[in-house]
Amino acid sequence: MAVTADDIAVRRVYDPDVRDGSALRGRVFLVDGMWPRGVRKDELALDGWLRDLAPSSELRKWFGHRADRWEEFRERYRRELDDNPEGLATLRQALEHGPVTLLFATKETEHNNAVALRDYLTGALGGT
């Protein structure tokens, strides 16, 4: 099964269309290690909170959402994901049944772990 970027939506939890559910496609997973500030658990229509797929605290702190560290972050995070096949199993199974939405909390919409995770999954599962 080939997975493409079209199969995996990446959205910010604070966006109004995420909060009302209109932007969500398929199964929905929060992929941050910490719960988003100011969001009640009953406010998000989640199929799961995949904390174990978040970057390690050390990697997250080192990265600090600095664009100049993006490529190195992606490489380090990829290595962490390679070492976590059990954590990836839920997403792989969900993708077998349709699209998935990955949610993140940071203001940085282009350089974050959800984007890196989507890229990892499309590469690892034979997509483009």
Side-chain angles (χ1 to χ4, degrees):
M1 163 195 76
V3 174
T4 68
D6 290 336
D7 297 316
I8 305 172
V10 176
R11 300 301 312 252
R12 187 168 185 259
V13 296
Y14 299 108
D15 290 344
D17 57 353
V18 168
R19 300 296 275 280
D20 71 16
S22 64
L24 304 178
R25 295 179 39 229
R27 298 201 52 204
V28 180
F29 299 97
L30 177 65
V31 294
D32 283 349
M34 296 181 288
W35 190 261
R37 289 182 185 176
V39 177
R40 292 189 329 262
K41 292 192 177 171
D42 63 353
E43 289 182 288
L44 295 177
L46 293 179
D47 290 293
W49 178 16
L50 304 178
R51 290 180 263 216
D52 57 337
L53 289 182
S56 65
S57 293
E58 296 80 21
L59 180 56
R60 179 181 53 80
K61 290 174 185 175
W62 170 82
F63 175 45
H65 299 287
R66 288 180 43 183
D68 63 316
R69 293 184 174 177
W70 174 241
E71 290 306 320
E72 179 67 20
F73 168 78
R74 286 172 30 119
E75 286 302 314
R76 291 183 187 190
Y77 185 38
R78 191 167 294 168
R79 287 193 296 271
E80 288 185 0
L81 292 169
D82 284 343
D83 291 338
N84 189 5
E86 306 85 27
L88 292 166
T90 299
L91 282 180
R92 289 180 183 199
Q93 289 171 352
L95 285 163
E96 289 176 5
H97 300 287
V100 166
T101 301
L102 304 178
L103 298 180
F104 65 93
T106 182
K107 292 178 184 177
E108 174 54 65
T109 60
E110 294 181 33
H111 303 107
N112 63 64
N113 64 297
V115 170
L117 179 56
R118 178 198 60 205
D119 295 347
Y120 176 89
L121 289 167
T122 57
L125 299 178
T128 55

